[in-house]
Amino acid sequence: MPERRTVALVTLGCARNEVDSEELAGRLAADGWELVEEAADADVAVVNTCGFVEAAKKDSVDALLEANDLKDHGRTQAVVAVGCMAERYGKELAEALPEADGVLGFDDYGDISGRLQTILSGGIHASHTPRDRRKLLPISPAERQDAAVALPGHAQTDSGEPTPPADPPEDLPEGVAPASGPRAPLRRRLGSSPVASVKLASGCDRRCSFCAIPSFRGSFISRRPSDVLGETRWLAGEGVKEIMLVSENNTSYGKDLGDIRLLETLLPELAAVDGIERIRVSYLQPAEMRPGLIDVLTGTDKVAPYFDLSFQHSAPGVLRSMRRFGGTDSFLELLETIRTKAPQAGARSNFIVGFPGESESDLAELERFITEARLDAIGVFGYSDEDGTEAASYEDKVDPDVVAERLARVSRLAEELTAQRAEERIGETLRVLVDRTDDEDGVVGRAAHQAPETDGVTLLSTDQELAPGRMVEAKVVASEGVDLVAEVLLVEGTGCTEEAGR
């Protein structure tokens, strides 16, 4: 009998990282590793790091140090860093953080089992020297599909050759998705939530002056529709009810496959998958929004009219310095177009304040936009230099104390406005997916305008026992900040109204 090997995956950062962790989990489970929930119960703790901004990087380092402490009084024998921070800094991170027994980049994912076994056995795996991953793929998007480059979510090995489909699928451990095509990854779920993310693509071709993500995530490359559909069908079979499509830029999906409108075709197919109750699209670029895409997002059954729009700012001068497009008036027109087609549509965005050269009048313009936009959720971040970005070289920096003051000021405004937007929804009837039940909050769900983790929730008033994954129709009766309180009218799939259930 082979020796028992246990591994725990600790995931930080965005939904894309969560998908990467489940891909790693699938590979490890297929190679005989036993996956456990707690790092303290694992031989190897794998920390999937985030390398986006300073706060996220600090959280990643803290998680690695916390896992390292387990080696003194637990089962844990090795701590390994993977993910964006590991890819971005490689050898530099390994030297600065000797507590990590290994720092693995994306090129190591194809043989993650072998890498962990080497480290667990006391061997040393040399950390990579970071490189600009944008240069690994052809400049022409149309030539990228056949490139031999390791891409999280695309399941290539470190040799560059595509991973063959599992044959036969029956040989895989229970709960592992079989690879259904040359680029379809193995995957194993790491939780039981009724919502799961599915990657549409990896990388980004945009060159925003403040963002380092393309340098370590690489250029944009779409996953094939058949792989996305196959993974969605598998997730539906695992009990998932809501699919969230993620990538660095979903509005570019299909451009390297010869059809920039491919998302408009794919969404109805995904919505038709048996068992799936809701499809949500995240990470939309305002400058790339198309009338046809708006029509599909607002008019397709089971596709949430949800618009996660990356505005970042609204003052035209600041946007140009960010190497972005648009402005307050064009952004408001976009939102008006969306709400004309779907009055209940949800909209959220993130904003950066204190960007180099931002004036008080620029900030006032941003405040005007946020005030008029009626967004359901708003994230506000203070600008800080990121290694290797164009903006880091800009000279007209805003004083850090001023950045902090602007961050606090806009954050207060955002909190007030999103609470007002939630209050506007009182009286609406919404379809709510039950996420969880607990003693403190009761039955907690999310409506179409509420994405997991980033947005508010809907607290359901009901005498019925509702399991996670159940879809209900509910009327909003109150709001608490960005959260809603709603009375259940109908439990879908049962024909049972609240009155009948009492």
Side-chain angles (χ1 to χ4, degrees):
M1 179 178 290
E3 183 181 357
R4 180 174 183 250
R5 301 175 299 175
T6 56
V7 59
L9 287 131
V10 180
T11 306
L12 295 95
C14 64
R16 291 160 294 187
N17 254 19
E18 294 173 4
V19 178
D20 290 349
S21 286
E22 293 197 348
E23 176 189 337
L24 293 174
R27 288 181 177 276
L28 290 167
D31 201 45
W33 289 78
E34 180 181 337
L35 288 137
V36 296
E37 290 187 13
E38 300 297 332
D41 299 328
D43 296 317
V44 184
V46 177
V47 180
N48 192 348
T49 61
C50 178
F52 182 38
V53 293
E54 283 304 316
K57 286 183 277 190
K58 182 182 182 303
D59 288 343
S60 295
V61 170
D62 288 346
L64 286 163
L65 293 174
E66 182 178 338
N68 182 68
D69 289 341
L70 297 172
K71 290 191 289 187
D72 295 331
H73 50 77
R75 178 188 177 99
T76 309
Q77 301 174 51
V79 175
V80 176
V82 299
C84 291
M85 189 176 179
E87 173 61 40
R88 184 176 181 182
Y89 295 104
K91 186 180 298 184
E92 180 184 343
L93 177 62
E95 293 171 352
L97 196 69
E99 292 86 352
D101 299 286
V103 175
L104 306 182
F106 297 151
D107 292 330
D108 294 307
Y109 282 20
D111 188 28
I112 185 67
S113 177
R115 300 290 192 266
L116 296 190
Q117 185 60 58
T118 295
I119 294 168
L120 184 60
S121 301
I124 297 175
H125 176 70
S127 301
H128 66 286
T129 298
R131 52 184 173 167
D132 188 339
R133 295 191 73 87
R134 290 172 292 193
K135 298 178 181 179
L136 302 183
L137 289 166
I139 294 176
S140 170
E143 298 175 3
R144 294 175 186 166
Q145 284 290 321
D146 296 323
V149 177
L151 301 165
H154 293 248
Q156 285 183 294
T157 67
D158 58 345
S159 66
E161 294 299 320
T163 302
D167 185 26
E170 289 78 13
D171 288 346
L172 291 172
E174 183 178 354
V176 176
S180 57
R183 283 184 178 267
L186 299 174
R187 180 172 180 176
R188 175 169 173 172
R189 298 208 69 203
L190 293 174
S192 58
S193 168
V195 60
S197 296
V198 173
K199 272 194 179 181
L200 274 184
S202 294
C204 185
D205 285 342
R206 299 184 72 87
R207 295 295 178 262
C208 301
S209 62
F210 57 85
C211 184
I213 290 175
S215 67
F216 55 86
R217 276 287 184 179
S219 297
F220 184 90
I221 181 167
S222 303
R223 292 182 67 199
R224 294 187 179 278
S226 57
D227 289 346
V228 177
L229 276 164
E231 193 168 325
T232 298
R233 293 188 183 105
W234 174 77
L235 287 166
E238 293 291 302
V240 169
K241 299 299 180 183
E242 177 179 324
I243 292 296
M244 186 163 72
L245 300 177
V246 300
S247 76
E248 279 71 24
N249 178 10
N250 281 335
T251 35
S252 283
Y253 179 69
K255 73 175 187 179
D256 52 320
L257 295 171
D259 185 1
I260 191 60
R261 294 177 175 80
L262 193 56
L263 184 55
E264 287 96 300
T265 304
L266 178 61
L267 284 171
E269 295 183 70
L270 291 171
V273 171
D274 285 345
I276 296 298
E277 294 292 337
R278 180 184 289 156
I279 302 291
R280 183 184 305 277
V281 184
S282 60
Y283 305 114
L284 301 169
Q285 288 291 340
E288 298 180 28
M289 290 300 295
R290 309 175 288 276
L293 180 55
I294 294 174
D295 287 343
V296 172
L297 288 170
T298 57
T300 306
D301 186 38
K302 294 188 178 181
V303 174
Y306 176 80
F307 293 82
D308 177 12
L309 295 160
S310 178
F311 290 123
Q312 302 299 345
H313 211 284
S314 73
V318 175
L319 286 167
R320 300 306 172 266
S321 294
M322 290 178 168
R323 297 203 177 280
R324 297 178 66 83
F325 307 94
T328 298
D329 293 335
S330 63
F331 291 163
L332 290 174
E333 289 174 7
L334 172 60
L335 291 169
E336 179 61 27
T337 298
I338 290 167
R339 288 170 176 144
T340 297
K341 296 177 179 293
Q344 289 187 345
R348 80 169 321 276
S349 192
N350 295 323
F351 299 92
I352 298 172
V353 297
F355 191 80
E358 181 190 61
S359 65
E360 278 294 333
S361 62
D362 291 329
L363 190 69
E365 184 71 359
L366 174 60
E367 290 174 321
R368 178 172 81 88
F369 171 67
I370 293 176
T371 300
E372 297 182 27
R374 296 170 56 236
L375 299 173
D376 292 282
I378 297 173
V380 188
F381 301 89
Y383 172 82
S384 62
D385 288 338
E386 279 294 313
D387 299 335
T389 62
E390 181 183 349
S393 67
Y394 290 177
E395 295 182 354
D396 195 9
K397 297 286 172 58
V398 179
D399 183 273
D401 290 338
V402 176
V403 175
E405 185 278 326
R406 291 179 180 179
L407 174 61
R409 170 176 152 188
V410 177
S411 296
R412 285 194 299 270
L413 177 63
E415 185 176 349
E416 293 172 4
L417 292 171
T418 51
Q420 288 177 17
R421 179 68 184 118
E423 190 174 356
E424 289 178 15
R425 291 190 178 275
I426 295 176
E428 290 184 358
T429 298
L430 308 173
R431 290 184 79 227
V432 179
L433 178 69
V434 176
D435 262 353
R436 59 185 170 84
T437 60
D438 58 48
D439 294 336
E440 182 178 352
D441 297 319
V443 183
V444 181
R446 290 176 298 100
H449 70 280
Q450 296 169 322
E453 306 296 337
T454 58
D455 304 337
V457 298
T458 298
L459 306 173
L460 292 169
S461 174
T462 178
D463 291 335
Q464 299 187 53
E465 291 187 7
L466 297 175
R470 178 70 73 182
M471 188 71 78
V472 304
E473 188 177 290
K475 182 177 182 179
V476 182
V477 296
S479 63
E480 299 176 358
V482 296
D483 298 333
L484 303 177
V485 179
E487 293 181 348
V488 173
L489 302 176
L490 175 69
V491 180
E492 295 187 10
T494 66
C496 181
T497 63
E498 178 70 355
E499 289 76 15
R502 286 178 175 161

